[in-house]
Amino acid sequence: MSDKKDVENTSPQTKKGIKQPAKLNPNLANLRRKARKSELSVTDFVEGIQKGDRVRLGQAITLIESTQSNHLAKAQEIIAACLPSSGKSIRIGITGTPGVGKSTFIESFGLHLIQKAKRTAILAIDPSSQVSKGSILGDKTRMAELSQKSEAFIRPSPAGSSLGGVARKTRETIILCEAAGYDTIIVETVGVGQSEVAVHSMVDFFLLLLLPGAGDELQGIKRGVVEMADLLAVNKADGNRLALAKQTRQAYRNALHLFPLKKNKWSPKVLSCSAVERAGMDDIWKTILKFEQQMKESHFFEMNRQEQAKYWFQESIQQQLGQLLHNHPQVKQQLAILEREVATGKKSPFSAAEELIQIFVRES
Ligand code: GDP
């Protein structure tokens, strides 16, 4: 018998006519596949992504999300190679309080976009996902029909130790999705806190979903989030809430007049829709296209992306410096001591920080 006999069939071989016993290790094939996967080269990934291979895209995103330094290094090479073919999409941020209908809306809207021959990637930023299961569950049951479509790519929120980390991963994922040919990128987040600022700084257009009836304060939405929006859509405009939704829409239209005109000269629009009845999707899409056209004509589109890139460059410097600082052995040692001194009022936070940085600079 050859030495090369398939190891998956090492169970006792029998004579002809006798039933073969089950394979000893049915997982071996899977293990081998996994091992092969980790051996994929940067070129394998990049070629796969550029061909629109969703499996390769998913695997590359997993590298971006990894905490292993060799994975991260590989991810950076993949991103660098994908950068030239990225950037050609419209990036849309969607926010709204839990229960407003974000996932139902994205399902309807995504299906509408498919009818318009668009390919949509749906990403999420949910900083609460590392604490609890999160408000954005990210599971595909939320967008059951859309997740079946080959024109849609749905990726749940990455986990991370900080919002900054989660946001970085999502931003890099956008680049890969664009290189894979997705021309519409949706980044979803919950409308309750800091994550909107992060999303706003990586999208071209920001959509805020609202409930009929309640004002934004009552919906737990910060004023700043309303000010960031390019479009407000009152969802659930159906059944006996239709009239109320129209009233709410009018109230917001009146309120927005009081806001100062934005730098980009776009005056935010207010529409209503029903994600369940799939109504109002086309008006929303047309508003986004109008925005895109207007921003491109005024060159604000490009300028905004340049500003965002600079912002993320600064953010990355801060993050990487912070990491270097916190991983430095002498700094680590001194940190706890200084923390105690600051807490007990022996040193001011400013001078303690200065002292720590001096140690870092001296010992590096
Ligand atoms: P999310 O937490 O913002 O993602 O909200 P979901 O999409 O999970 O929706 C919350 C609830 O509102 C679900 O029961 C949906 O069926 C319902 N819902 C979402 N959109 C609409 C809508 O347009 N009309 C009505 N009547 N219900 C809706």
Side-chain angles (χ1 to χ4, degrees), residues 8 37-38 51 74 76 89 109 147 149 199 211 225 266 289 319 327 333:
E8 285 163 42
K37 196 172 88 182
S38 65
K51 266 192 267 167
K74 201 169 200 174
Q76 288 309 320
S89 75
F109 191 61
S147 64
K149 303 283 185 191
V199 173
L211 287 168
V225 175
W266 173 260
L289 289 178
Q319 264 176 37
N327 292 337
Q333 219 177 32

Side-chain angles (χ1 to χ4, degrees), residues 21-32:
K23 288 176 179 177
L24 279 186
N25 189 352
N27 284 329
L28 208 58
N30 273 342
L31 290 173
R32 278 186 176 158

Side-chain angles (χ1 to χ4, degrees), residues 15-54:
K15 293 201 176 89
K16 263 187 191 165
I18 297 178
K19 201 171 167 248
Q20 291 286 311
K23 288 176 179 177
L24 279 186
N25 189 352
N27 284 329
L28 208 58
N30 273 342
L31 290 173
R32 278 186 176 158
R33 215 170 293 130
K34 277 194 182 149
R36 272 201 301 275
K37 196 172 88 182
S38 65
E39 288 160 16
L40 287 173
S41 69
V42 169
T43 316
D44 292 332
F45 276 111
V46 176
E47 283 178 1
I49 290 169
Q50 288 176 340
K51 266 192 267 167
D53 180 340
R54 299 152 65 92

Side-chain angles (χ1 to χ4, degrees), residues 97-104 142 235-236 238 241 274-276:
T97 204
V100 69
K102 289 182 296 300
S103 51
T104 317
R142 294 173 73 236
N235 190 35
K236 307 198 183 186
D238 49 48
R241 268 183 292 200
S274 167
V276 160

Side-chain angles (χ1 to χ4, degrees), residues 98-302:
V100 69
K102 289 182 296 300
S103 51
T104 317
F105 175 85
I106 293 171
E107 164 120 323
S108 292
F109 191 61
L111 291 169
H112 182 78
L113 291 181
I114 290 175
Q115 283 176 8
K116 302 267 167 199
K118 295 278 162 197
R119 297 184 72 224
T120 309
I122 294 119
L123 315 174
I125 289 193
D126 183 2
S128 59
S129 67
Q130 65 256 15
V131 184
S132 58
K133 273 196 82 184
S135 315
I136 298 175
L137 295 173
D139 59 8
K140 295 189 176 169
T141 54
R142 294 173 73 236
M143 298 163 200
E145 200 180 329
L146 192 60
S147 64
Q148 303 295 317
K149 303 283 185 191
S150 60
E151 299 93 334
F153 178 82
I154 303 178
R155 183 83 182 187
S157 175
S161 53
S162 65
L163 171 60
V166 173
R168 174 192 60 82
K169 292 171 196 174
T170 304
R171 195 165 190 278
E172 292 178 340
T173 300
I174 293 177
I175 293 167
L176 299 196
C177 290
E178 288 175 344
Y182 292 94
D183 50 23
T184 318
I185 312 282
I186 292 179
V187 186
E188 175 190 5
T189 193
V190 277
V192 285
Q194 267 303 100
S195 53
E196 284 72 29
V197 180
V199 173
H200 188 247
S201 60
M202 63 177 84
V203 296
D204 309 307
F205 186 90
F206 200 65
L207 166 61
L208 170 63
L209 290 180
L210 294 162
L211 287 168
D216 42 279
E217 292 88 2
L218 284 178
Q219 295 187 37
I221 294 166
K222 299 235 163 60
R223 188 70 192 260
V225 175
V226 180
E227 284 169 11
M228 273 191 267
D230 299 300
L231 169 63
L232 287 74
V234 184
N235 190 35
K236 307 198 183 186
D238 49 48
N240 56 12
R241 268 183 292 200
L242 189 61
L244 190 59
K246 283 187 177 160
Q247 272 175 30
T248 310
R249 190 182 64 189
Q250 196 49 49
Y252 271 101
R253 278 183 182 163
N254 296 342
L256 287 186
H257 279 309
L258 305 173
F259 284 19
L261 193 67
K262 291 187 184 193
K263 242 186 358 193
N264 61 7
K265 306 264 190 325
W266 173 260
S267 44
K269 307 285 178 279
V270 191
L271 295 171
S272 55
C273 64
S274 167
V276 160
E277 292 184 353
R278 301 192 176 164
M281 299 299 130
D282 202 45
D283 282 349
I284 292 176
W285 180 233
K286 279 185 182 142
T287 305
I288 296 173
L289 289 178
K290 194 173 162 205
F291 174 90
E292 187 185 17
Q293 192 196 357
Q294 197 174 311
M295 291 306 112
K296 283 190 170 164
E297 278 169 10
S298 64
H299 302 290
F300 207 90
F301 194 89
E302 202 187 321

